[in-house]
Amino acid sequence: MRNKLYLIVVFLFLSSVAAAQTATMKGQIMDENTKEPLSGAYVHFDGIKGGSITDAFGHYQISGVSPGSYKVKVKYIGYKEYEQHIELSTGQTLTLNIPLSEKTESLKVISVYAKASTESESSSRRSEKNAGNITNIISAQAMQRSPDINAANALQRVSAVTLQHNSGSDEAYAIIRGLEPRYNNTLINGVKVTSPDPVSRFISLSIVPSDLLDRVEVSKTLTPDMEGDAIGGTVNLVFKDAPEYEYFTANASIGYSALFFNRKFDDFNHGAVLSKSPTERFGQGYVAPPGYFTRPNLDFTKKNAPLTSLLGFTYGRRFLKNKLGFIVADSYQNQYYGTNSQFNLAQIDPQSSNFQPIITDVANRAYSTQQLNNGLSAHLDYKLDDNNKISLDNVFLYTYIAQTRLSIDTSIVGGNGGRIGPGTGTVFNDNRSTTQSQFVENLKLNGKHIIAKHFLFDWSGVYSNATQKAPDRADISINHLINPDFTSTPNYFDNISRIWQKSGNKDLSAMANLGYKTALGEKNSVELKVGGLYRHSTRYNQQNSYTLRPTGTANGVKSPFTDIYSADWIVYNVTGTSTSDKANYTAYENITSGYGEFKLTLDKLEIVGGIRVEGTVQGYDTHPVVLDTSSSAKKTYTDVLPSLNLKYKLSDKANLRASYFKSIARPALYELVPTPTLGQSSDITGSPSVLHTEADNFDLRYELYPGKEEQFFIGGFYKSVKNPIEFALKEISGGQFEQTPQNFGTAKVAGAEVVYSRYFGDLGVSANYTYTYSNISSPKFYTSVNPSDPTAAPTTVLKLQSRPLQGQTGDVVNFSLLYKNDKQKAFVQLAYTYTSRTLPFVYSNYGYDYYQQPQSFLALSGEKQINKHITLTAKVNNLLNTPTTIKINNLIQSRDVSNASFNVGFRYAH
């Protein structure tokens, strides 16, 4: 024991002696003009490996340096490289604060084709100012500081952007300028990403961890080199690129949902979920016995909700004299959350003269959800020489969702189910377990080549694949009757459904661009670009379902239900539904496009314009052939899409922009298939005759950038949308209707945006407000009474009703109070969001629609750097516990409450 203590004392003594014989240099890197700290600058000694990266407050520290003479170098993209000779003596701690000046390029020389880092807020503001189109950018630094843990939540803080959520889950899709997700597109590293969802062409942004991202770019106007199927805008998720220096960060945190302070987390045996249906395992025509179907996944248990956990790391560096660079990042999120939901069924009141809706059934539902996200991104690039570079990017996103839905449902109208009066009738317990796995992979091989002094050629090949598997969704319905004397019958097992569903979407894309750029005198230049794209996209959907019904006793009545393990059932459809299910199909889409673009800089005026031509071929085949519908179809169309973006530089800090562009929105492939698809209600069917949407878009914006992280925008937009796609009623035979995607004339969309962000010392504000107006008409059931014959039966016809576009929100407000203390290395953000009434669903009768009620959200986040490497973080969301309430007129159709969530952790940077 004494020997061990002696060795420890000797080790500590030698360590202190060694430390006393070295020196330390520390300080802060800042902008020369604004004195604002620069995050992500690289500080190092010339010729010596290793260095320091400035933190969020611009601070750096290099320890353990041998005494001597050194040349200090500082690199930061967009700024001039800094050099200074210093002398370090034994035991010295040198404080060296370094101001950097912005780099300006002369137009007399051909500009270098490159991109600046946009991880910091100041770099994002610079990118917005210099962009050729109207763009908003969320930096990695802003996402790091915010209360948000995924791309969806970060995106909702952009002006004119709201989110479309699904009840009981965290799925979220971007609505830009009041246009629902179908009118926007999602890109990964500039290329369209495939969708795992069977009924859409976009991915849920909630599965993208924000700490994998370098930035999120929201383009609200298009240039000819951008794909033209974005009427609202484009969301480009840019993942981290290989750094110029060795880079390592890690983060970890835990959290909890306040919902589970008041109730337990409902769970089931995930291992009992059968990955394949009977016909998948044994072939078509296999007769499934009752014993094939498992029971533990319908045995629901209550437990304390586990903690939410989040882990992530990023590592990158360059090798071979900076020729070879790589970066790899992984983010793991295991979240537990829930929703307490009220769901009321609205149906036509048969006693009403105009058939107005009333609430006929009331259900209380409790959702408990585990969502496990794992995102992995990797980038590899090799500089063949100063003029040629090849890079490979791969993004893999995986999400697993396991969810229970426990529901108590009862009818409150009429005598159905033995109802005599209030508190009597049949009560249904409808409980469901479901698991779902989604995989999204985006692999991009890219090359950039300066083939002559003024010419740049770049090319890309992209493989994108997405799948969704939702095996063995199990739903059991149990009921009991409450008698007039309020006694109750035993529970009886009524029905079980077991559904297997999977879908996939695969893209193969190739694109190439050739650019020419040269100066035209002192302050003028011209850039010309041509390019093209070809994409082959395929989609499939497969589903199969089985119905299990109770086995009758000897006298033909049901047996009381005690538990799932003692229930007896028969398989009603022993071979499933796959051989006759109309929703089993394959579909394809081929896109061929080419463009010509010019960028002309005339002193303070910049003009970007040109024409893009896109040809589209779409088609589908049902499997098996469906005799009562069109089993296959093919449609072809071509669009010419001109655009013009004007930017006038009022000063070095102010721009005035005006733009026009034409764009389109193609129908989702499932919307062409004239069969119901799982995920939509059974009376919604695709239509091969639905047309794609075309739009003329106009924008005007004034921009001011007072400081590195400060901005002021004010602008307006107008869109004329021809043939918007809306789900509405269509008569298929005398008095028979179905809901199909249809086109309704021309919709008008107009709005205004204001953005303001500024610091006043340590305190700052960041705010934006958007107002959007839209109008469209769709057919509804309209009941009329003959005034000359009051005794005559009312007649029902279809009549057009004017309304907003689905998903459109009138008013959106984001307001954040910011506190940034560079000396204390602390940052705090209090973020408030308000959205006004939104139309999520259209009701079938004239004069009635579903509206989501106004919502207010409050979130708080903070971080405190405690030493050179470690920063403590905290995030709290939904402090106001705002419910999501949907009404049809004054009737509550649904109300979801999720409560606040808390998250604390740390971030390590080296």
Side-chain angles (χ1 to χ4, degrees):
M1 185 67 181
R2 287 183 178 180
N3 291 336
K4 290 183 179 179
L5 289 174
Y6 174 76
L7 291 174
I8 291 173
V9 171
V10 170
F11 174 78
L12 292 175
F13 173 75
L14 293 176
S15 298
S16 62
V17 170
Q21 293 177 345
T22 61
T24 298
M25 186 181 74
K26 64 180 182 178
Q28 187 180 36
I29 310 299
M30 66 194 76
D31 183 277
E32 182 180 54
N33 296 320
T34 65
K35 307 305 179 185
E36 294 188 16
L38 299 177
S39 170
Y42 180 48
V43 185
H44 67 109
F45 296 126
D46 188 30
I48 298 178
K49 184 179 179 181
S52 176
I53 303 169
T54 57
D55 60 23
F57 306 95
H59 294 282
Y60 73 93
Q61 180 174 320
I62 303 176
S63 304
V65 183
S66 300
S69 177
Y70 296 95
K71 180 191 288 185
V72 178
K73 287 189 173 184
V74 182
K75 292 182 179 180
Y76 191 69
I77 295 178
Y79 286 78
K80 294 179 181 178
E81 186 172 334
Y82 178 89
E83 292 185 1
Q84 179 179 341
H85 286 278
I86 64 166
E87 294 285 341
L88 291 175
S89 58
T90 301
Q92 180 185 8
T93 298
L94 174 65
T95 300
L96 184 62
N97 297 323
I98 301 173
L100 298 184
S101 58
E102 283 198 73
K103 185 190 297 182
T104 56
E105 301 287 348
S106 172
L107 284 173
K108 291 181 179 179
V109 183
I110 180 67
S111 297
V112 176
Y113 289 97
K115 63 179 182 180
S117 169
T118 52
E119 284 199 23
S120 69
E121 271 291 85
S122 58
S123 295
S124 291
R125 300 292 79 76
R126 185 168 59 248
S127 297
E128 290 173 343
K129 182 176 69 173
N130 296 334
N133 61 331
I134 293 177
T135 303
N136 292 92
I137 297 175
I138 312 171
S139 69
Q141 185 182 51
M143 289 184 281
Q144 195 176 75
R145 291 172 170 177
S146 77
D148 312 314
I149 65 172
N150 59 51
N153 294 332
L155 193 64
Q156 67 184 344
R157 307 195 189 282
V158 176
S159 64
V161 178
T162 55
L163 294 180
Q164 180 186 91
H165 286 281
N166 285 353
S167 175
S169 72
D170 198 36
E171 293 186 335
Y173 308 99
I175 294 175
I176 304 176
R177 290 181 162 178
L179 294 166
E180 65 172 326
R182 72 162 63 250
Y183 299 114
N184 312 304
N185 63 28
T186 303
L187 313 178
I188 286 182
N189 294 326
V191 180
K192 205 175 286 186
V193 59
T194 51
S195 169
D197 194 291
V199 292
S200 71
R201 56 167 70 244
F202 37 83
I203 65 169
S204 171
L205 295 173
S206 67
I207 74 172
V208 183
S210 60
D211 55 340
L212 293 182
L213 299 173
D214 178 81
R215 64 192 180 277
V216 178
E217 301 171 338
V218 181
S219 296
K220 296 175 179 176
T221 65
L222 304 184
T223 53
D225 60 345
M226 301 171 67
E227 293 193 53
D229 58 339
I231 296 174
T234 291
V235 177
N236 184 24
L237 307 173
V238 183
F239 285 72
K240 294 182 185 295
D241 203 351
E244 295 297 321
Y245 41 79
E246 189 171 21
Y247 178 89
F248 176 73
T249 63
N251 63 83
S253 64
I254 57 174
Y256 203 73
S257 171
L259 183 79
F260 300 115
F261 291 155
N262 300 314
R263 75 166 172 90
K264 297 290 188 178
F265 184 89
D266 300 305
D267 207 356
F268 62 96
N269 187 332
H270 301 186
V273 174
L274 297 173
S275 61
K276 292 184 178 181
S277 70
T279 56
E280 285 181 283
R281 289 187 62 186
F282 303 111
Q284 297 289 348
Y286 174 74
V287 176
Y292 183 89
F293 302 93
T294 55
R295 299 171 184 263
N297 50 331
L298 284 173
D299 180 14
F300 300 97
T301 59
K302 295 184 180 296
K303 66 180 184 180
N304 293 325
L307 291 173
T308 286
S309 56
L310 296 90
L311 299 168
F313 80 91
T314 303
Y315 179 73
R317 61 173 299 182
R318 303 201 72 86
F319 300 91
L320 304 178
K321 297 182 179 180
N322 288 336
K323 284 183 173 291
L324 177 65
F326 88 96
I327 191 167
V328 60
D330 186 79
S331 178
Y332 169 88
Q333 300 177 347
N334 192 12
Q335 304 173 65
Y336 292 87
Y337 55 88
T339 304
N340 292 336
S341 178
Q342 176 185 348
F343 181 84
N344 304 323
L345 182 62
Q347 292 184 324
I348 294 172
D349 182 2
Q351 306 301 320
S352 172
S353 60
N354 61 351
F355 291 89
Q356 67 183 25
I358 59 171
I359 299 300
T360 60
D361 289 80
V362 175
N364 291 316
R365 297 175 173 177
Y367 291 89
S368 297
T369 305
Q370 177 194 8
Q371 180 169 342
L372 190 156
N373 296 333
N374 190 44
L376 176 65
S377 69
H379 168 89
L380 186 71
D381 66 63
Y382 186 77
K383 297 178 181 178
L384 301 171
D385 51 42
D386 291 341
N387 296 329
N388 297 280
K389 177 181 177 181
I390 295 177
S391 60
L392 181 68
D393 292 275
N394 190 47
V395 176
F396 180 80
L397 302 173
Y398 167 75
T399 186
Y400 169 82
I401 294 177
Q403 184 182 85
T404 65
R405 190 199 71 184
L406 306 185
S407 176
I408 301 175
D409 184 357
T410 185
S411 174
I412 61 172
V413 173
N416 293 336
R419 178 179 172 83
I420 303 299
T424 67
T426 303
V427 177
F428 294 88
N429 289 75
D430 193 355
N431 301 330
R432 185 177 73 193
S433 70
T434 182
T435 62
Q436 176 182 287
S437 298
Q438 291 185 351
F439 306 83
V440 178
E441 183 172 18
N442 212 65
L443 180 65
K444 178 183 178 182
L445 180 64
N446 173 257
K448 291 185 178 181
H449 312 277
I450 299 176
I451 56 178
K453 181 180 179 182
H454 299 276
F455 289 92
L456 172 72
F457 175 70
D458 68 89
W459 55 268
S460 298
V462 181
Y463 167 81
S464 186
N465 188 30
T467 58
Q468 174 178 288
K469 296 180 180 179
D472 199 7
R473 187 177 78 177
D475 192 307
I476 182 170
S477 179
I478 304 165
N479 65 74
H480 66 275
L481 176 65
I482 299 178
N483 299 308
D485 59 357
F486 300 108
T487 59
S488 175
T489 67
N491 279 318
Y492 292 98
F493 155 43
D494 187 56
N495 186 76
I496 291 177
S497 68
R498 307 291 282 258
I499 302 174
W500 282 261
Q501 187 271 339
K502 62 180 179 179
S503 62
N505 185 195
K506 184 183 295 183
D507 284 0
L508 293 173
S509 305
M511 57 205 75
N513 306 280
L514 178 64
Y516 170 83
K517 188 172 185 177
T518 189
L520 298 174
E522 181 70 23
K523 296 182 178 181
N524 305 328
S525 67
V526 65
E527 182 178 353
L528 303 176
K529 287 179 70 176
V530 294
L533 172 148
Y534 176 77
R535 175 176 297 116
H536 174 61
S537 180
T538 57
R539 172 173 285 285
Y540 73 88
N541 187 72
Q542 296 176 7
Q543 61 190 54
N544 194 6
S545 64
Y546 293 80
T547 300
L548 313 181
R549 293 182 177 172
T551 303
T553 60
N555 56 6
V557 300
K558 297 180 182 178
S559 298
F561 178 86
T562 54
D563 59 64
I564 188 64
Y565 300 102
S566 60
D568 291 323
W569 58 64
I570 62 169
V571 182
Y572 177 72
N573 52 335
V574 291
T575 58
T577 61
S578 60
T579 57
S580 59
D581 202 321
K582 301 177 182 180
N584 291 299
Y585 66 85
T586 58
Y588 62 90
E589 179 178 85
N590 297 326
I591 298 172
T592 306
S593 65
Y595 73 90
E597 178 183 295
F598 70 89
K599 179 180 179 181
L600 182 62
T601 302
L602 301 172
D603 194 6
K604 296 182 177 181
L605 178 64
E606 182 179 285
I607 307 171
V608 180
I611 291 179
R612 185 178 188 91
V613 178
E614 295 200 349
T616 306
V617 179
Q618 293 177 310
Y620 70 87
D621 293 283
T622 59
H623 304 286
V625 174
V626 182
L627 298 179
D628 60 341
T629 63
S630 177
S631 60
S632 64
K634 178 181 178 180
K635 59 192 311 179
T636 304
Y637 48 91
T638 301
D639 295 279
V640 178
L641 308 173
S643 66
L644 185 67
N645 287 268
L646 305 176
K647 180 176 71 174
Y648 185 77
K649 299 178 182 178
L650 299 170
S651 68
D652 289 340
K653 296 183 178 181
N655 294 325
L656 182 63
R657 297 180 183 267
S659 73
Y660 162 78
F661 68 96
K662 185 171 184 178
S663 57
I664 62 172
R666 301 178 180 92
L669 288 176
Y670 93 96
E671 291 174 334
L672 301 176
V673 184
T675 60
T677 301
L678 187 66
Q680 300 287 340
S681 53
S682 60
D683 59 347
I684 295 180
T685 303
S687 171
S689 62
V690 68
L691 302 174
H692 72 291
T693 305
E694 304 172 65
D696 292 296
N697 309 270
F698 302 87
D699 280 83
L700 185 67
R701 183 161 95 170
Y702 167 77
E703 305 172 343
L704 177 66
Y705 300 87
K708 292 299 176 183
E709 295 188 22
E710 300 174 344
Q711 59 184 337
F712 172 69
F713 302 160
I714 184 169
F717 57 90
Y718 174 81
K719 299 176 183 291
S720 178
V721 185
K722 180 183 177 183
N723 292 324
I725 301 173
E726 300 274 348
F727 279 104
L729 294 162
K730 177 181 179 181
E731 187 169 8
I732 55 177
S733 61
Q736 302 254 336
F737 296 86
E738 67 179 5
Q739 289 198 64
T740 64
Q742 298 179 48
N743 305 112
F744 300 104
T746 300
K748 307 296 183 184
V749 181
E753 300 178 52
V754 179
V755 178
Y756 179 74
S757 179
R758 188 160 189 183
Y759 276 94
F760 304 90
D762 289 344
L763 296 176
V765 295
S766 178
N768 61 71
Y769 168 74
T770 306
Y771 170 75
T772 307
Y773 166 83
S774 65
N775 184 267
I776 193 175
S777 296
S778 63
K780 302 284 199 71
F781 286 129
Y782 181 79
T783 303
S784 62
V785 178
N786 187 348
S788 61
D789 186 4
T791 62
T795 58
T796 301
V797 296
L798 285 178
K799 182 179 180 179
L800 289 177
Q801 177 188 313
S802 178
R803 56 171 174 80
L805 285 168
Q806 293 178 6
Q808 186 253 306
T809 300
D811 301 281
V812 179
V813 177
N814 284 293
F815 181 82
S816 292
L817 288 176
L818 311 172
Y819 172 76
K820 181 177 67 171
N821 189 314
D822 294 341
K823 185 176 181 180
Q824 299 296 324
K825 301 181 182 180
F827 183 89
V828 179
Q829 177 177 357
L830 181 67
Y832 171 78
T833 299
Y834 169 81
T835 58
S836 64
R837 200 175 70 151
T838 305
L839 174 68
F841 312 113
V842 176
Y843 190 69
S844 57
N845 276 40
Y846 189 89
Y848 299 94
D849 281 315
Y850 295 95
Y851 279 93
Q852 180 176 293
Q853 301 306 295
Q855 292 183 288
S856 293
F857 297 97
L858 189 65
L860 177 66
S861 62
E863 61 178 50
K864 174 70 170 71
Q865 187 172 337
I866 60 173
N867 60 31
K868 176 183 175 182
H869 298 295
I870 297 177
T871 301
L872 300 181
T873 63
K875 302 173 187 283
V876 186
N877 282 281
N878 197 16
L879 280 166
L880 300 178
N881 192 23
T882 302
T884 300
T885 303
I886 296 177
K887 291 184 177 181
I888 179 166
N889 283 22
N890 293 320
L891 304 175
I892 296 178
Q893 185 266 335
S894 66
R895 188 174 187 270
D896 298 332
V897 177
S898 56
N899 290 67
S901 61
F902 309 89
N903 189 279
V904 293
F906 72 92
R907 186 170 63 250
Y908 175 88
H910 180 75

